[in-house]
Amino acid sequence: AKGGVPVLPVQLGVYRTLYQMGLYTFVYVGLAIAAPWFMRANFIYSLLVVPMALKVLYEFFKYFHSEEQKRWLPFFLWINFSMLAFIAAPVVDKWVYNYFNTMPI
């Protein structure tokens, strides 16, 4: 506010900003979990993505319920780490699937 930069908490308030963050977090996690319906994925994808998605939701709720939203850094770091995991999961899934399907018996 002091710098005159129109960021979301200054323009809309803290509670509406938290609502927007929660909405985007749930959509982000939902798309990551629903991705096998849009692409070819196997069990390994779900094994990698579902725990990470649950951790992101857990960190959001800890952030949301923290006093004065002081737990922003762990939530921010888990969101960034989950992006890497959600991008790497299809690659690892395909590698594992190809490895086990091309093994000689």
Side-chain angles (χ1 to χ4, degrees):
K2 291 178 185 177
V5 179
V7 293
L8 200 57
V10 172
Q11 295 295 93
L12 298 179
V14 174
Y15 293 109
R16 287 194 58 193
T17 302
L18 286 173
Y19 171 78
Q20 291 292 322
M21 289 174 62
L23 180 66
Y24 293 142
T25 301
F26 276 97
V27 169
Y28 169 68
V29 167
L31 284 174
I33 292 173
W37 281 291
F38 304 109
M39 65 178 196
R40 185 182 213 188
N42 299 302
F43 178 70
I44 299 298
Y45 178 85
S46 297
L47 191 65
L48 296 171
V49 168
V50 171
M52 183 64 65
L54 294 176
K55 179 65 176 175
V56 167
L57 287 176
Y58 175 71
E59 288 298 328
F60 172 73
F61 283 117
K62 281 175 58 175
Y63 168 68
F64 184 78
H65 293 296
S66 69
E67 190 174 304
E68 297 179 10
Q69 286 73 40
K70 291 186 179 186
R71 295 212 23 101
W72 67 270
L73 185 60
F75 174 62
F76 175 74
L77 293 175
W78 277 105
I79 284 285
N80 288 318
F81 185 62
S82 71
M83 284 185 217
L84 293 173
F86 292 167
I87 290 170
V91 174
V92 171
D93 182 62
K94 185 170 180 143
W95 284 346
V96 170
Y97 179 77
N98 287 341
Y99 176 76
F100 285 113
N101 283 337
T102 58
M103 286 179 57
I105 295 178

